[in-house]
């Protein structure tokens, strides 16, 4: 058996999820807490490889159950939280069988992207929103987003140099809400490297009137990263839901 942990973290203080040399990551921080409880360095498998600066309102990972059996399952979150910094918290813990994989058992993931559009910088949004500080046409952005829904080859919205061969993904929903914070919700069966951030960067070009909504369809069909917009900053991106 494995233990499935649900956690949340503020990514602004971490260099992403995955362990790296000479950089503080969420995975390493969690392993340190687990080692403090079990006396062993246990493997931790995550549901996603979030980049440096990316946040997670919901994130799942698994750890071996046997080495933590001396702690009641319902007490494990509080026990781990006592050893974790304020920027990461364990929300729940449940047992799953060995066939369950937090990444490959996932059916869909949902991300949110937050853009602050106020006329001046907000110090309370530092590290948590893209502070664009200009108005965006949300109606045009939603129109452009509709061209991306469905099953497509998203090569134009994948970071250059990615080793992934199959770039076909299915986006089930893109919704953009307006206001002082413009927020994009995007749900898909999987995402390519920087896919959400490149989509957001491209939709901002639509929202500022630099390109038309229909241009996004041509960008998608071109299957060329050079056609799409800039990669939006990591600070505005949140993993919001993981559906199993």
């Amino acid at each position: 058996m494995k233990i499935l942990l649900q956690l949340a973290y503020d990514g602004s203080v971490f260099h992403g999820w995955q362990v790296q040399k000479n950089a503080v990551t969420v995975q390493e921080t969690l392993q340190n807490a687990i080692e403090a409880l079990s006396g062993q360095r246990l493997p931790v498998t995550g549901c996603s490889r979030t980049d440096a600066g990316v946040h997670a309102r919901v994130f799942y990972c698994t750890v071996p159950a046997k080495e933590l059996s001396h702690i009641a399952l319902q007490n494990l979150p509080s026990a781990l939280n006592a050893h974790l910094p304020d920027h990461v918290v364990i929300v729940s813990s449940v047992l799953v069988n060995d066939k369950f994989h937090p990444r490959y058992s996932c059916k869909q993931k949902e991300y949110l992207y937050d853009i602050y559009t106020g006329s001046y910088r907000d110090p309370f949004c530092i590290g948590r929103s893209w502070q664009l500080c200009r108005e965006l046409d949300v109606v045009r952005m939603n129109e452009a987003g509709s061209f991306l829904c469905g099953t497509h080859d998203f090569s134009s919205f994948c970071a250059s140099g990615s080793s992934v061969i199959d770039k076909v993904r299915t986006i089930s929903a893109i919704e953009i809400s307006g206001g002082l914070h413009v927020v994009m919700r995007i749900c898909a069966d999987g995402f390519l490297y920087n896919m959400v951030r490149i989509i957001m960067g491209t939709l901002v070009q639509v929202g500022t009137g630099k390109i038309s909504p229909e241009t996004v369809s041509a960008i998608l069909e071109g299957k060329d990263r050079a056609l799409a917009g800039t990669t939006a900053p990591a600070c505005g991106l949140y993993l919001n839901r993981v559906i199993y």
Side-chain angles (χ1 to χ4, degrees), residues 35-175:
E35 186 174 9
L37 289 178
S38 68
Q40 301 179 62
R41 195 72 173 173
L42 301 181
V44 176
T45 304
C47 66
S48 182
R49 296 180 180 181
T50 55
D51 292 335
V54 175
H55 315 287
R57 292 181 173 177
V58 174
F59 191 96
Y60 290 96
C61 66
T62 55
V63 296
K66 182 179 179 181
E67 290 81 355
L68 293 169
S69 59
H70 62 291
I71 303 172
L73 190 63
Q74 67 270 22
N75 296 333
L76 186 57
S78 59
L80 285 172
N81 287 334
H83 295 278
L84 287 169
D86 292 341
H87 294 87
V88 56
V89 63
I90 306 298
V91 177
S92 66
S93 57
V94 297
L95 282 175
V96 293
N97 63 46
D98 285 334
K99 292 182 179 180
F100 181 90
H101 192 287
R103 182 179 178 187
Y104 300 120
S105 298
C106 173
K107 301 300 182 184
Q108 284 195 320
K109 293 177 184 174
E110 179 182 273
Y111 282 90
L112 301 181
Y113 196 96
D114 186 287
I115 297 177
Y116 174 74
T117 63
S119 57
Y120 54 86
R121 289 183 292 107
D122 184 342
F124 298 104
C125 291
I126 294 172
R128 293 176 177 84
S129 299
W130 179 6
Q131 299 204 50
L132 195 63
C133 297
R134 62 177 300 177
E135 292 185 4
L136 294 170
D137 189 328
V138 174
V139 173
R140 285 168 56 89
M141 292 173 72
N142 274 303
E143 183 182 348
S146 68
F147 291 109
L148 300 176
C149 290
T151 303
H152 306 285
D153 183 324
F154 285 94
S155 294
S156 294
F157 299 93
C158 179
S160 301
S162 172
S163 60
V164 175
I165 297 175
D166 182 9
K167 294 184 174 63
V168 174
R169 299 291 186 274
T170 300
I171 293 179
S172 57
I174 295 182
E175 298 174 359

